[in-house]
Amino acid sequence: MDLKDAKRFFSCIAGDTPLVSFKVILWDGGELFFGNGPASFAIRIKSPDVLDILFNADTSLAFGEAYMSGDIDIEGDLGELLGLGYRMDIKSDMSFSNRARMCWLGLKSKARSIRQSRCDIQTHYDRGNDFYRLWLDEGLSYSCALFSSPDDTLEEAQNRKIAYTLNKLRLRPGHRLLDIGCGWGGIAINAAKAYSCKVVGLTISKQQYELARKRVEEQGLSGQVDIRLQDYREVPLAESRSFDRIVSVGMFEHVGKDNIPLFFKKASELLRKGGLMLLHTIGRIVPKDMDAWIATYIFPGGYIPAAGEVMNAAQMYGFDFIDMEDLRQHYDLTLANWIRRFESNVQRINDMMGERFVRMWRLYLNGSQMAFRHGDMHVFQFLYSHERRHDLPLTREWFYQKKHAMASVD
């Protein structure tokens, strides 16, 4: 690719009226400038071969791999570049090899056996608890927080999210709660302490399991909270209809497109009639394939469900819709906090994981933030009852009240 082709390529990214001013520094020291004001970032291209790859392959996958390897570097605000990509809806045709690769990834995602699910989950979550401690909150909540103000600390916002989530479930002492995808145990521990209920937490990450069990023991909750290294599909039939409530936060994205109905089928078997279920998941409005780079390097086997896919499957297995809430803006703020914490510990992370990993995770966090700010990503909290109920309050005030007055809601 020559200078003329490079200029044409980046002109497509900038658009006729550039939303952001930036420059491109080429391998030979030449520079291209786009926009009218000071450059928000500079894209440094190390070789003309990089442009050939970007031009002829899936843009996301090609850019991500080139950035991870250092063939492309970004000087300045990486988020501005990624946000520009979402706002301009940058796309390019895939080469034959990348089409074949993504076809395989799609098939792999659909298979979603328990064995494959374990492998995929451990690829992401078993990076090491010490790594996650460096940039998550003290409670290790790896999902969207709930902010009352952008000035809230991450700890305040995550604690608020947990309390808000549990309030929606109208928990009571003696209730049995199933937490599908319990992570490091934050929701399970809080439910047991705040509501004196029994909790079963499921994870298929070995490191999450080990630390969650340790945290439960340290809190003196071993008699109330049972953390299992178990897939939701492995909960025995003997426990059918034994749970009063089900909660799942930040796990549903790993179920896989074809297993969405299976998830609700299993949940309907486990939840008693009249019980409540809260499902918290990243989602879209319209179904769409996973981003190629994310599917390859970050969340193998993952799928971001569309709201309609969730609602249709839930209805199929007897779940009655109560409420859906979108927390999109809160995930933008959550990711901003994660990025700040990640960058403040970047040298320690580099020592732990290496430079390629740092670049990969930096791209993942910044790209995710821009997907919620400018792209088509949402965060949905769905609330369901197992079969219809007529005794729930008429307003959402009860979402914010720990103590529920209506004795009829059991």
Side-chain angles (χ1 to χ4, degrees), residues 14 16 25 31 38 67 70 76 95 105 122 147 170 191-192 209 213 242 295 300 302 353 367 409:
D16 295 332
I25 305 171
E31 294 188 1
Y67 180 76
S95 65
L105 283 169
Q122 289 167 10
F147 291 80
R170 301 182 72 82
Y209 166 75
R213 282 178 61 88
S242 70
M353 316 294 283
V409 181

Side-chain angles (χ1 to χ4, degrees), residues 300-320:
Y303 177 72
I304 304 301
E309 292 176 310
V310 175
M311 297 180 78
N312 289 340
Q315 185 174 5
M316 188 186 309
Y317 289 100
F319 286 97
D320 191 57

Side-chain angles (χ1 to χ4, degrees), residues 86 328 366-378:
Y86 279 108
R328 180 187 62 80
N366 281 274
S368 296
Q369 183 186 24
M370 291 303 117
F372 288 101
R373 183 177 297 181
H374 298 298
D376 61 354
M377 292 293 194
H378 297 261

Side-chain angles (χ1 to χ4, degrees), residues 303-343:
Y303 177 72
I304 304 301
E309 292 176 310
V310 175
M311 297 180 78
N312 289 340
Q315 185 174 5
M316 188 186 309
Y317 289 100
F319 286 97
D320 191 57
F321 176 74
I322 297 172
D323 189 83
M324 182 181 79
E325 189 169 4
D326 185 7
L327 305 179
R328 180 187 62 80
Q329 294 183 82
H330 297 270
Y331 220 156
D332 182 347
L333 292 169
T334 303
L335 282 153
N337 277 271
W338 288 349
I339 291 166
R340 281 197 297 271
R341 291 176 177 223
F342 180 88
E343 294 298 343

Side-chain angles (χ1 to χ4, degrees), residues 136-143 158-159 161-162 184 186-187 338:
L136 294 180
D137 65 298
E138 292 177 0
L140 293 175
S141 292
Y142 190 17
S143 56
Q158 290 291 11
N159 288 336
K161 183 271 301 293
I162 291 174
W184 289 277
I187 286 178
W338 288 349

Side-chain angles (χ1 to χ4, degrees), residues 26-27 45-52 71:
L26 300 174
W27 52 92
I45 308 294
K46 304 291 181 67
S47 163
D49 295 339
V50 175
L51 289 181
D52 287 329
D71 291 329

Side-chain angles (χ1 to χ4, degrees), residues 176-180 200 202 228 230-246 262-273 275-277 317 319 386:
R176 195 161 185 250
L177 169 68
L178 176 63
D179 183 355
I180 303 178
V200 172
L202 309 180
R228 302 177 184 175
Q230 187 177 60
D231 189 274
Y232 69 95
R233 290 164 283 186
E234 297 175 312
V235 179
L237 288 175
E239 294 187 85
S240 294
R241 300 284 185 267
S242 70
F243 292 97
D244 301 284
R245 302 291 189 263
I246 293 178
L262 178 60
F263 176 91
F264 283 100
K265 180 176 184 294
K266 186 65 178 180
S268 72
E269 293 171 356
L270 297 172
L271 187 62
R272 70 167 175 79
K273 299 297 183 183
L276 301 181
M277 179 173 75
Y317 289 100
F319 286 97
H386 196 197

Side-chain angles (χ1 to χ4, degrees), residues 131 134 342 345-354 357-358:
F131 163 65
L134 289 175
F342 180 88
N345 288 286
V346 73
Q347 187 55 57
R348 295 175 66 184
I349 296 171
N350 187 78
D351 293 342
M352 279 180 169
M353 316 294 283
F357 179 88
V358 167

